[in-house]
Amino acid sequence: MGGGNILTRKEKQITELYLNTTLEVAESVENWLSFIKSASYNYKYRFDEQILIYAQKPDATACAETTIWNKKLKRWINEGAKGIALIDEKNGEMGLRFVFDVSDTNSNVYGKNFKLWSAEEKYTDEVIETLEETFGTIGDKSDLANAILDTAFRNIQENMQDYLEELKDVLKNSNLEKVNEEQIEYSFRNMLMFSTVSLILSRCGIEPSKYFQESDFADIKKFNTFETISILG
């Protein structure tokens, strides 16, 4: 990559920010739930990218590269706006790419407003039907929240074993190393399920606290190494 020592220092700075923030979000339930809220808006990004977006602009709701804002969305980056640096790897070499939140853009030329999607009540039946067609029979279709809970819990349970095996390989120096295998699986399953569902509910405009208590996320403190929290992420 070009840029010499200045860019190299920036890469190092962003890498350290990623490593440190990954550990910080797992230090407390409050930190974890704050991250989940941010990640709910940036669900299309990888975990490491969600971490860096949260670290640099925790209130970001819609991020994209300049070319997407300009060419696809007809919006322009505000003068002086600071990009959010994300780690990018191409051909085995690490670099950085930058995205901007919608709050750092404008559409003065076209006068076109940008609107985030929302889970409007009038579409609930249609959304639930699509969930069922995609992920299988839903037991509780009384409302969107329960349909999400049912679908997410069932699918996570069916697919968590591979991640659990990866987790067991990186327990060294973590608080999970101190508990038995049954407790490891219990903690991982609950954190995976509660976090995933909270993220989905939050993005759909449904308050997760109606379904979960902070104590449900207490086991986040057991994921106190970069390796363990990365598997969960």
Side-chain angles (χ1 to χ4, degrees), residues 72 93 134 179 189 200 205 211:
K72 184 176 180 180
E93 294 187 7
T134 305
V179 300
R189 182 181 64 249
I200 299 170
Y211 301 88

Side-chain angles (χ1 to χ4, degrees), residues 15 32 36 39 54 60-62 71 88 96 104 109 131 134 149 151 154 156 193 219 225-226:
T15 300
W32 183 246
I36 288 292
Y54 175 71
T61 57
K71 295 181 179 181
D88 191 31
L96 299 176
D104 292 318
V109 175
L131 282 174
T134 305
L149 286 162
T151 303
R154 177 164 39 81
I156 289 170
M193 287 185 172
D219 280 353
T225 64
F226 176 79

Side-chain angles (χ1 to χ4, degrees), residues 12 74 100 131:
K12 182 178 180 181
K74 304 301 180 184
F100 292 85
L131 282 174

